[in-house]
Amino acid sequence: MSSLSTNPEPSRLSKAWNSNMAYSFRRNPVAVVSLAIFLIITVMSLLSPLIAPFDPYDPAQIDIMNSEYPPIWVDGSDAQFMLGTDDQGRDLWSTILYGTRLSLLIGLCAVGLQAFLGISIGLISGYVGGRVDSLLMRLADIQLSFSTLMVAIIFLAVTQAMFGSETFNQYAVYFLIAVIGVAEWPQYARTVRATVLAEKKKEYVDSARVLGFGPLRIMVRHILPNSLSPIFVISTVQVANAIISEASLSFLGLGMPPSQPSLGSLISSGFDYIFSGSWWITAIPGVVLVVLVLVINLLGDWMRDILNPKLYKG
Amino acid sequence: MLAYLVKRVFQAIAVMFAISLIGFAIQDNLGDPLRELVGQSVSEEVRQQLRDELGLNDSFMTQYLRFAGNALQGDLGTSYFFKEPALDVILKKLPATLELVMGATLIIVGLSVPLGVYTAIKPNAILSRIIMGVSIIGISIPVFLTAILMIFVFSVEYGWFPSFGRGEVVHVFGSWDTNFLSADGWMHILLPSVALASIMLPLFVRLIRAEMMEVLQSEYVKYAKAKGIRPFRIYFVHALKNTLLPVITVGGVQIGTMVAYTILTETVFQWPGMGFMFLEAVNRVDTPLIVAYLIVVGFIFVVTNTIVDLIYGLVNPTVNLARMGA
């Protein structure tokens, strides 16, 4: 028996390292750089309470007298504020770190909600079929025909007017996650449904049914793992879109309040000062936002090229 | 075809019904019409009497039917702030927004076709790579940031273009003043249109490129090449025609999306359109105006989507209307 173990089963890690996907990833400099930048931004924003020199949420550390200092490479700056300060006298570097964390958090949670709703509905729709299917897909059509941004703007505007801005600001994070999360479920539902329809006919599903497994188990344990690659591709694009949506909503004053700024609300508060020459309050968070979204989109593009079987052949 | 048409129109009516329900629910719960009418200084007795007279104590159903009946006759309430019928206020702002959308559409249509076709024909050329690179950067920059960037560069730094408003407009008829008939109007509409187009243009370039590349692989294009037809004719007459079908569908849906993005561009450029007005209405808690905007925008979405679906059904010979219809 011991002769069998001379060639041990490769570990999960080395299997992943030697897979097709990892190989093409290593060969693609754009993807490598994008992932590296994405990880750097994510880790730094997660560690913001540790690495930020100031706490933008602590009023004791904010002095209005410090407002609108330019970044250190511009004349008239203050050495303790590396990227300058915003209109309220907050250190821009610290505020950007905290703001990026907030933007990422909202983007990821919103996409998590989209994925949960969309995958559940897509699985049910594809697996059950019939009237349920046509009703759910008709709903998806209607939901898709309204732009997410429009739905979100109207929903948030009405909510804000209804609860007053104080209560709204307190729960703004949850409102944003909920509205971006709910508005985009059809993206997932349609794709998952299409793959379920294709997978459902295969023999492994029949055999699972013959073995007496329930529909829930077949859907989640058997069909879902085989529909993962389109889900990955959609997810990257959706995270990028969710971050842009959050920034746009916050820019309009319908998202995060200036007291706990995300990247969008930081850009928005800087916009009032752009005519007086304080470009950095808008420009620096803007650059961070664009770089963050861009690397996610580049990763998404790469993943689509790799995972899409249509492109894989040609 | 008729069955499909009827079904599609029926669905549109159902969606408008749902939107009107939402609109009414907002009207019912947001703000107090009585306070807007008489202020705080009226006794409780008079208030109750007024509530009865205005029908605010009727059941939800009765009130909704009254609301829907008025809406069908074009009466969406009176704006608290403007003291004018809400629909009139919106219709006055509509041309400004539509011109913005029109300007952006011109840019998108004018640029996306040649760029998309070029990148599809020569996928490995340096220019194609640059176009594709710029397009993914374009997708990654939010509309409002493009707008701010353009204001900063072209208005603040160089002072070439004005940064806000519509400038000099020429009256056409009714409430329609146009930007397209004066030099000053063109100067004012250029930056906002480019900003609005910046988010859609990359999407269309990529879509046309993807569809075109697929079509170029097809048998009939190979046959046309073998037959010796000039490449220009193959690309623009034979291939492009067949790529336009999905482009039209996506395009129709994106017109609705563009209305949403106008809110962002109008805010940055202080463009006196519907979106700018809507945000002001929200800040003033002008409920009738908010509801009217919701219904007008919902109507625009439903109409464009229905028309696009119908065109798609008409133009695409492979759509099985019988199956989709009944």
Side-chain angles (χ1 to χ4, degrees):
Chain A
M1 287 303 279
S2 62
S3 63
L4 280 177
S5 63
T6 47
N7 201 357
E9 181 81 355
S11 72
R12 257 169 195 253
L13 200 68
S14 74
K15 247 198 225 166
W17 179 256
N18 291 321
S19 67
N20 259 352
M21 205 167 156
Y23 177 74
S24 86
F25 178 74
R26 291 197 299 273
R27 292 291 301 275
N28 187 334
V30 175
V32 174
V33 171
S34 300
L35 186 68
I37 294 176
F38 177 70
L39 287 178
I40 290 171
I41 294 180
T42 312
V43 169
M44 281 179 86
S45 67
L46 286 180
L47 293 178
S48 50
L50 296 175
I51 55 177
F54 295 89
D55 180 359
Y57 295 158
D58 179 10
Q61 294 185 22
I62 303 170
D63 187 351
I64 192 77
M65 295 305 287
N66 289 333
S67 66
E68 294 187 64
Y69 276 122
I72 44 173
W73 63 87
V74 179
D75 286 344
S77 61
D78 186 319
Q80 57 172 329
F81 305 115
M82 190 166 49
L83 297 179
T85 55
D86 71 355
D87 55 313
Q88 300 179 28
R90 289 179 297 207
D91 174 43
L92 203 55
W93 166 238
S94 314
T95 318
I96 287 176
L97 282 174
Y98 278 82
T100 313
R101 185 172 67 159
L102 209 50
S103 290
L104 267 174
L105 177 86
I106 294 172
L108 292 174
C109 288
V111 172
L113 184 61
Q114 286 170 17
F116 174 74
L117 285 174
I119 292 172
S120 320
I121 293 174
L123 280 175
I124 292 170
S125 192
Y127 193 80
V128 177
R131 275 181 181 278
V132 180
D133 181 35
S134 61
L135 178 71
L136 288 172
M137 283 305 113
R138 187 57 56 85
L139 277 180
D141 280 347
I142 294 171
Q143 172 85 66
L144 265 189
S145 70
F146 289 94
S147 113
T148 307
L149 194 63
M150 198 74 238
V151 173
I153 287 173
I154 289 180
F155 172 82
L156 291 172
V158 170
T159 325
Q160 196 180 39
M162 216 173 263
F163 291 113
S165 47
E166 213 152 288
T167 325
F168 178 83
N169 288 348
Q170 209 176 336
Y171 298 104
V173 181
Y174 305 104
F175 284 134
L176 282 168
I177 293 175
V179 72
I180 301 174
V182 171
E184 292 263 305
W185 65 266
Q187 304 281 2
Y188 282 93
R190 286 182 152 188
T191 322
V192 171
R193 173 178 171 272
T195 43
V196 169
L197 285 181
E199 294 292 325
K200 199 165 80 165
K201 295 191 191 101
K202 293 191 178 164
E203 282 169 345
Y204 74 91
V205 176
D206 288 337
S207 71
R209 209 177 287 132
V210 170
L211 282 170
F213 293 149
L216 187 69
R217 187 186 160 113
I218 296 178
M219 278 191 261
V220 176
R221 294 283 300 277
H222 299 264
I223 296 181
L224 185 58
N226 286 301
S227 352
L228 279 181
S229 50
I231 293 178
F232 279 135
V233 175
I234 300 178
S235 298
T236 42
V237 179
Q238 289 298 95
V239 171
N241 285 344
I243 291 176
I244 289 192
S245 298
E246 186 277 326
S248 306
L249 292 166
S250 296
F251 177 77
L252 290 175
L254 299 172
M256 299 309 296
S259 58
Q260 13 169 344
S262 68
L263 290 174
S265 33
L266 207 54
I267 294 168
S268 165
S269 62
F271 178 55
D272 299 336
Y273 295 87
I274 200 164
F275 294 103
S276 62
S278 304
W279 50 269
W280 57 90
I281 311 176
T282 306
I284 301 176
V287 169
V288 176
L289 178 69
V290 171
V291 169
L292 180 63
V293 174
L294 181 64
V295 293
I296 298 175
N297 272 333
L298 286 171
L299 280 173
D301 258 21
W302 164 77
M303 217 184 257
R304 193 188 354 245
D305 288 348
I306 297 304
L307 293 179
N308 195 340
K310 231 173 166 181
L311 293 175
Y312 198 65
K313 271 182 240 158
Chain B
M1 185 66 209
L2 194 68
Y4 177 62
L5 183 94
V6 169
K7 191 162 188 176
R8 207 57 201 72
V9 170
F10 185 74
Q11 187 186 326
I13 293 173
V15 173
M16 273 320 288
F17 172 71
I19 291 174
S20 74
L21 263 184
I22 295 170
F24 178 68
I26 293 170
Q27 177 124 315
D28 207 29
N29 290 306
L30 185 61
D32 181 4
L34 217 57
R35 202 178 62 201
E36 299 293 336
L37 265 178
V38 296
Q40 303 272 24
S41 59
V42 178
S43 73
E44 191 54 39
E45 224 168 276
V46 183
R47 269 169 192 281
Q48 274 311 323
Q49 199 189 335
L50 265 170
R51 289 188 82 85
D52 275 337
E53 274 173 29
L54 289 168
L56 292 172
N57 289 334
D58 294 349
S59 71
F60 185 86
M61 221 30 231
T62 331
Q63 286 196 56
Y64 171 71
L65 286 178
R66 191 162 50 225
F67 170 82
N70 286 340
L72 282 177
Q73 293 166 27
D75 176 11
L76 293 172
T78 305
S79 158
Y80 295 152
F81 179 80
F82 293 97
K83 310 286 181 209
E84 276 178 64
L87 194 62
D88 290 1
V89 176
I90 291 180
L91 290 183
K92 255 183 231 164
K93 306 278 184 183
L94 188 65
T97 300
L98 287 186
E99 291 209 333
L100 198 56
V101 172
M102 231 148 73
T105 312
L106 282 178
I107 297 173
I108 293 171
V109 173
L111 286 179
S112 64
V113 172
L115 291 181
V117 171
Y118 178 78
T119 47
I121 298 171
K122 295 203 161 76
N124 293 320
I126 293 179
L127 189 58
S128 293
R129 284 165 190 267
I130 293 174
I131 294 171
M132 294 313 285
V134 171
S135 85
I136 196 161
I137 295 175
I139 288 180
S140 305
I141 305 182
V143 170
F144 65 94
L145 210 53
T146 321
I148 293 175
L149 191 74
M150 288 199 312
I151 285 191
F152 187 71
V153 174
F154 297 114
S155 302
V156 179
E157 288 291 300
Y158 292 102
W160 290 345
F161 293 100
S163 66
F164 66 90
R166 286 186 82 182
E168 190 186 312
V169 288
V170 178
H171 186 77
V172 186
F173 64 85
S175 62
W176 185 21
D177 294 325
T178 182
N179 268 64
F180 293 120
L181 290 177
S182 70
D184 190 50
W186 277 98
M187 293 293 275
H188 277 83
I189 205 171
L190 192 74
L191 287 190
S193 308
V194 173
L196 189 55
S198 71
I199 195 86
M200 298 285 169
L201 184 59
L203 280 177
F204 278 92
V205 171
R206 292 163 81 90
L207 181 69
I208 292 178
R209 173 178 179 266
E211 293 294 331
M212 190 81 180
M213 283 177 96
E214 205 162 296
V215 169
L216 288 181
Q217 299 292 322
S218 63
E219 297 289 324
Y220 76 89
V221 169
K222 284 180 194 159
Y223 177 67
K225 272 183 193 162
K227 208 176 157 195
I229 295 176
R230 277 178 299 119
F232 187 83
R233 202 179 149 76
I234 296 179
Y235 296 139
F236 283 92
V237 177
H238 297 286
L240 188 62
K241 225 192 261 173
N242 285 294
T243 57
L244 285 184
L245 202 58
V247 176
I248 290 172
T249 343
V250 175
V253 177
Q254 297 296 344
I255 289 178
T257 314
M258 217 134 64
V259 174
Y261 284 114
T262 54
I263 299 185
L264 287 162
T265 13
E266 285 177 9
T267 310
V268 177
F269 289 100
Q270 296 177 36
W271 189 261
M274 283 199 310
F276 193 50
M277 176 219 73
F278 174 69
L279 283 185
E280 282 179 329
V282 169
N283 288 333
R284 298 182 185 124
V285 199
D286 194 342
T287 316
L289 207 49
I290 296 175
V291 173
Y293 181 80
L294 170 76
I295 289 180
V296 169
V297 167
F299 187 70
I300 294 177
F301 271 81
V302 169
V303 167
T304 45
N305 279 304
T306 310
I307 291 176
V308 165
D309 275 7
L310 292 178
I311 290 179
Y312 192 72
L314 273 178
V315 174
N316 189 354
T318 61
V319 169
N320 188 345
L321 290 176
R323 191 176 55 83
M324 287 174 83

